[in-house]
Amino acid sequence: MSVKAAENFSRESLEQILKRRFFYAPSFEIYGGVSGLYDYGPPGCAFQANIIDTWRKHFVLEEDMLEVDCTMLTPYEVFKTSGHVDKFADWMCRDLKTGEIFRADHLVEEVLESRLKGDKAARGQAVVEEEDDDKKKRKKKVKEIKNVKLDDEVVEEYETVLNKIDGYSGEDLGELIKKYNIVNPATGGPLEPPVQFNLMFETAIGPSGQLKGYLRPETAQGQFLNFSKLLECNNERMPFASASIGKSFRNEISPRAGLLRVREFLMAEIEHFVDPEEKTHPRFADVKDTKLSFLPKGVQEAGSNELKVTTVGDAVATGMVDNETLGYFIARIHAFLLKIGVDPARLRFRQHMSNEMAHYASDCWDAELQTSYGWIECVGCADRSAYDLSVHAARTNEKLVVRKPLPEPVTVENFEVDLDKKKFGPKFRKDAGAIQKFLLERTQCELEDLSKELAANNKIAVDIKGVGSFEVESDLIKIAKVQRVEHVREFTPNVIEPSFGIGRIIYSIFEHLFWSRPEDKDRCVLSLPPLVAPTKVLVVPLSNHADLAPLVAKITSALRKEQVPFKVDDSSASIGKRYARNDELGTPFGITIDFETVKDGSVTLRERDSTKQVRGDLADIVNAIKEITYNGASWAEGTSKLAPFETAVEES
Amino acid sequence: MSVKAAENFSRESLEQILKRRFFYAPSFEIYGGVSGLYDYGPPGCAFQANIIDTWRKHFVLEEDMLEVDCTMLTPYEVFKTSGHVDKFADWMCRDLKTGEIFRADHLVEEVLESRLKGDKAARGQAVVEEEDDDKKKRKKKVKEIKNVKLDDEVVEEYETVLNKIDGYSGEDLGELIKKYNIVNPATGGPLEPPVQFNLMFETAIGPSGQLKGYLRPETAQGQFLNFSKLLECNNERMPFASASIGKSFRNEISPRAGLLRVREFLMAEIEHFVDPEEKTHPRFADVKDTKLSFLPKGVQEAGSNELKVTTVGDAVATGMVDNETLGYFIARIHAFLLKIGVDPARLRFRQHMSNEMAHYASDCWDAELQTSYGWIECVGCADRSAYDLSVHAARTNEKLVVRKPLPEPVTVENFEVDLDKKKFGPKFRKDAGAIQKFLLERTQCELEDLSKELAANNKIAVDIKGVGSFEVESDLIKIAKVQRVEHVREFTPNVIEPSFGIGRIIYSIFEHLFWSRPEDKDRCVLSLPPLVAPTKVLVVPLSNHADLAPLVAKITSALRKEQVPFKVDDSSASIGKRYARNDELGTPFGITIDFETVKDGSVTLRERDSTKQVRGDLADIVNAIKEITYNGASWAEGTSKLAPFETAVEES
């Protein structure tokens, strides 16, 4: 199927159709809506379900992953440990007079961009207007857009700031706001310095109101917390992956750009647990020749956006992509996105720069899709190292480790602590437990120092935050190097995490596959691949003639039996109009029933993008539809046994 | 497949297996867990996904429903209008001394039950212990269980109270607690009178903290709010149904009984919109002969539990079930539940008594499944009448109606109000708008009264709550009967709502299909239907001999290509042990690879429940599996062309 999407793309026209045909719409619209919340209507919901079904087959079934479904409600302690309570936040500025709240980085971005635009206009240069509706609405209120020429060095400074906007801390943003005299754009009023706003929705679990909880901002933690059970499900074998599909929530300060930044969204996440010393992948050979467009961090740090097109094999061999497992998943993500309709020319893998990485990640590559809003992060592929399992294990005292038999036993020498516990109680009373715990949790390096201290002074000084300072004498403690033979290696696995934002992928695919027919720009087509199209077949009787009705029933019953999703359009509109309405919905096939059908049972099959038609027996036509939709046959392959069919009036 | 579930059922043994094999487990277990929250592990998650897939085919696809996916976060106003803010609550009692909180009805129930048990013991009668773990744990703490004989009339009184426990108001419960001197069972301390506790989780949307929101307690409201868009999607035709699958949340006061009462759960809900004057159903004839077990409200109100077994056709004809549409859905619910494994002998449809109906329902039948916890409501089938659409329309001033062309135009006579709006402003100033709105919103009946008042006094008195009292004189208003010819009937549809609690269904099916082999009670079997079983096939090589490995690869590749979910068990355990492990998981088929396979490519196929085996070519075996799993063939039908195979050692 040919896709003519990018040419003459009109976002307005796409968004109007998506809304009119109820692919999605603002939630609670009759109540005025709530920004950042959207409902999927029937075609959007079916498209989403088909994408999820494809995802499950592509990843969970094909790779034998362990799928879990964990709760969204999560107690405070879990996100305190994972770091989200302290670090999962954006910076916001308040206007104390009007009560308005701005997301600090977006505010700096918009004000500087509008000043640069004013400068261009003052210099008599063309200004490109390509903004989303939200932004336009906000801009209307902006007082300060005057066409003021700026000094050349100011222009350069603004541009540098804009390029680095994702990397600033709250303090940095506060300084920029002061330095560039950024105020409330609508009123000119002053703003408070940026403060952190945590993006998690908070609630109370249970009737007492005492147990604070959050709605999860990602599905990952549920998978980490179940690690030991999952390892057991996998017969203690490594590596393995878990997977989860479900809603997550982020209380965005100022949601915008439709489905691209929302407060409730569907995620599909994989946590691949791997031995940190063995990040090879058994199926890497299957994908190593896949050619991809990479944007490594070095290139970006040098201020460029030039893509490096190379194979995954080469990317791993040269060290650009850290290891085979990461490379394998990047290639699998690429294959999945193409399967569901992404235009490969508008897909790139961008490596995170160190200043923009999430607090848990040690390396990260984003699959970004190009849209009229720019390049959008749609899939993250992060190496979370051993971060999550380690912090949860430390907090709960549960071991989240793998024990692997060693091929040969090894002798290891470690400092060990030997406490005379009976003497601790009488000596330290209520603090005895805390002191013992403190001593038993020291690292090898710390123990080495302590052993020297003990040898030198016959005692050691112990300083425990919140408990106190103590001296432990040598009759209570021995610290010595001990040799042991080990048969098992115990380690905390590393985690490679491919994480899919389904709503963002859906919107980007709409942009990639939307076009209008050259002969009539009002006839729009959404060229969704048959595999994921909401409806596969439109059944169209030529007229309302009574002879045709039993044939409609016969054909729909055949399609229902074969579980091919279809719709009937027996309205009085022209055939051409009925097809046009379903081209908008992305329905790939049409079956027309006419008076020939009454005579010999034959029907025509129409292909959406080319409007080509073939004719044949119902059984052969249904077979062709199934071959193309579910078995990956092309139109030519699927219809090779069917007769071409020409009609002058069909598309009128 | 034969099911031997009910005989010698042991809940302890079932729950131990469900936990050990990670069908589900308490969420955040390594943090100590949070009651009422559970995670589904790989087999539970796959079982759930298969049930949802079957649900979608059975209802959405087969009945052409419009599936939507609406947000869980919902603003306050929506639930204020729907009545949930005021009425979606349970009654709780606090012990101010210990801080403990009790759900009032559960507390009364438990205390009276334990007193009755004590009475029985005192009389020397046998006491049946068949309680869940939670309850046992709580009971352990109960101080007051003494074997005290009660007066005969007290016993009778307690039994009457227990039978009516679902119907008491908060005030009633308070009186019972006083009357029967019910105290904190653990401490004997006094309790505060019952207060309402709203079961919705509350949160704040957006950074200001000003927009109060809730997590939805049902998916229904999102469907109602999108009614007009859905009607348009359906080309303005009636009747039609929308459907939604997603998580809902209820902040239970004291969750218990595992998956049966939880705080976050998966629902699948249908809203069937129907003309209140035309509740027939075009496909009713297809289901009218289905025989079902009914428990109508009349029987219950007479204090009996006797089931009425009759056909759906008869139930509707006699008026026991109100209309064809309700009857149709009851039959379809029945068919669905049987398809996924429910034991028909342990399924009944119970009608709600008027005092237990939800605030929005005008009639309701529950599909209840019998478990060791008693009969459990798993599917509700409520007639919500026009309640929801009416209240949202009134609140938002958006019309949520259907306009249907009348076969013949009709003349209608109505009171109409004619206001001289120009005079309102000068006379009533800031209140003018409110007074006009008030007058235009009067019902026909009210207008008739007002017209009389106006004729009698030349003015009317208007009393608007929160605004004030006014007099409107006859130069500002006319009220008269006007005749009009109408070509269209405008009406608010009624809603029939089948609503499925997936977790409850899942747990009940486990109980219905769990049994242990008579020859060895430790060999447990979960007889899940192949259609919904998490894994369809276990592939078992007879030994680790190198000759067998390539055959495993060949067979798994064939199964993967046919998208039949499978697992390989190539551990060193005996064949019998490996099968036993997968009988617990509900895996219906086993393929054994042995040295004959090396010679001629043939494999054996084993059926879980009967342990029967057949032998044949791989292609024929895979075909048999697909026929039985996906096309509803029986074991005999599916394997009719395969040779029976006997082995003495298989199950050892």
Side-chain angles (χ1 to χ4, degrees), chain A residues 94-144:
Chain A
R94 266 176 213 272
D95 178 331
L96 284 187
K97 209 165 170 188
T98 65
E100 271 175 288
I101 293 170
F102 299 89
R103 186 169 145 178
D105 54 345
H106 287 179
L107 178 71
V108 170
E109 196 176 9
E110 276 169 34
V111 170
L112 297 194
E113 273 173 3
S114 84
R115 288 182 190 170
L116 286 174
K117 217 166 264 175
D119 168 72
K120 270 196 175 177
R123 289 171 194 246
Q125 294 167 2
V127 176
V128 186
E129 280 290 353
E130 176 96 60
E131 288 174 350
D132 57 297
D133 288 353
D134 289 2
K135 223 171 171 177
K136 266 189 211 157
K137 264 184 234 155
R138 287 198 307 275
K139 282 275 172 70
K140 268 191 192 156
K141 292 197 242 156
V142 174
K143 270 190 171 173
E144 71 155 287

Side-chain angles (χ1 to χ4, degrees), chain B residues 554 558 562 601 603 616-626 642:
Chain B
K554 191 182 154 201
E562 298 287 336
V603 293
D617 277 353
L618 178 61
D620 293 336
I621 296 279
V622 172
N623 205 42
I625 292 169
K626 286 180 73 180
L642 294 161

Side-chain angles (χ1 to χ4, degrees), chain B residues 124-125 201 250 276 337 340 428:
Chain B
Q125 294 168 3
F201 286 97
R250 296 185 186 177
L337 291 175
I340 60 173
F428 297 109

Side-chain angles (χ1 to χ4, degrees), chain B residues 144-388:
Chain B
E144 71 159 287
I145 299 188
K146 300 171 206 126
N147 296 347
V148 174
K149 189 172 172 303
L150 305 170
D151 289 345
D152 286 358
E153 68 239 38
V154 172
V155 170
E156 205 176 307
E157 216 178 303
Y158 282 6
E159 278 168 353
T160 312
V161 169
L162 288 172
N163 281 334
K164 298 199 290 185
I165 194 76
D166 288 338
Y168 290 115
S169 69
E171 209 175 326
D172 296 341
L173 290 167
E175 275 166 23
L176 292 170
I177 287 170
K178 236 179 178 161
K179 182 172 174 192
Y180 297 130
N181 190 26
I182 291 173
V183 291
N184 182 336
T187 64
L191 299 171
E192 292 275 283
V195 292
Q196 259 195 332
F197 174 69
N198 194 292
L199 298 180
M200 291 192 293
F201 286 97
E202 195 182 310
T203 192
I205 303 173
S208 74
Q210 304 294 304
L211 183 59
K212 196 199 262 196
Y214 294 104
L215 293 177
R216 66 181 180 197
E218 53 170 26
T219 72
Q221 300 304 323
Q223 300 181 60
F224 300 137
L225 296 185
N226 285 306
F227 172 74
S228 297
K229 292 192 187 94
L230 291 167
L231 182 62
E232 198 188 327
C233 282
N234 207 45
N235 293 323
E236 311 289 335
R237 288 186 199 183
M238 288 284 292
F240 75 93
S242 62
S244 188
I245 300 162
K247 293 275 167 79
S248 294
F249 303 81
R250 296 185 186 177
N251 199 4
E252 297 286 348
I253 293 173
S254 54
R256 52 175 172 175
L259 292 188
L260 297 182
R261 187 172 296 279
V262 295
R263 288 177 166 150
E264 176 176 334
F265 49 95
L266 187 63
M267 291 183 99
E269 288 193 306
I270 294 163
E271 310 297 334
H272 180 85
F273 299 97
V274 61
D275 184 339
E277 292 177 9
E278 224 180 294
K279 289 190 175 174
T280 55
H281 195 285
R283 293 214 235 167
F284 186 70
D286 299 350
V287 304
K288 74 176 177 18
D289 297 327
T290 314
K291 252 199 179 148
L292 301 176
S293 301
F294 293 96
L295 182 55
K297 59 183 171 189
V299 173
Q300 297 167 68
E301 281 157 2
S304 162
N305 277 327
E306 203 183 321
L307 297 179
K308 186 170 167 55
V309 179
T310 187
T311 65
V312 178
D314 183 57
V316 172
T318 60
M320 182 173 74
V321 167
D322 184 64
N323 59 71
E324 280 193 4
T325 299
L326 203 54
Y328 178 76
F329 277 110
I330 286 174
R332 291 286 294 161
I333 290 166
H334 173 262
F336 169 72
L337 291 175
L338 264 51
K339 206 182 266 184
I340 60 173
V342 162
D343 177 357
R346 297 167 77 186
L347 162 60
R348 71 180 186 191
F349 286 88
R350 187 179 74 81
Q351 191 172 27
H352 278 205
M353 292 178 286
S354 22
N355 61 357
E356 62 170 320
M357 207 108 68
H359 66 267
Y360 46 72
S362 73
D363 189 14
C364 186
W365 288 84
D366 285 344
E368 293 189 333
L369 300 180
Q370 196 180 26
T371 73
S372 63
Y373 293 97
W375 285 94
I376 303 298
E377 172 203 341
C378 289
V379 187
C381 194
D383 186 335
R384 294 176 81 128
S385 68
Y387 174 80
D388 303 271

Side-chain angles (χ1 to χ4, degrees), chain B residues 84-117:
Chain B
H84 286 83
V85 168
D86 297 321
K87 294 180 193 157
F88 195 71
D90 280 337
W91 296 92
M92 65 174 182
C93 298
R94 266 176 214 272
D95 178 332
L96 284 187
K97 209 166 172 188
T98 65
E100 271 176 286
I101 293 170
F102 299 89
R103 188 169 144 179
D105 54 345
H106 287 178
L107 178 71
V108 171
E109 197 176 7
E110 276 169 33
V111 170
L112 297 194
E113 274 174 2
S114 84
R115 288 183 190 172
L116 287 173
K117 218 166 265 174

Side-chain angles (χ1 to χ4, degrees), chain A residues 339-355:
Chain A
K339 206 182 265 185
I340 60 172
V342 162
D343 177 358
R346 299 166 76 186
L347 162 60
R348 72 180 186 191
F349 286 89
R350 188 179 74 80
Q351 191 172 26
H352 278 206
M353 292 177 286
S354 21
N355 61 357

Side-chain angles (χ1 to χ4, degrees), chain A residues 29 31 202-203 206 229 392, chain B residues 29 31 202-203 229 251 392:
Chain A
E29 204 171 19
Y31 278 82
E202 194 181 311
T203 192
K229 293 193 187 91
H392 288 303
Chain B
E29 205 171 19
Y31 278 83
E202 195 182 310
T203 192
K229 292 192 187 94
N251 199 4
H392 288 303

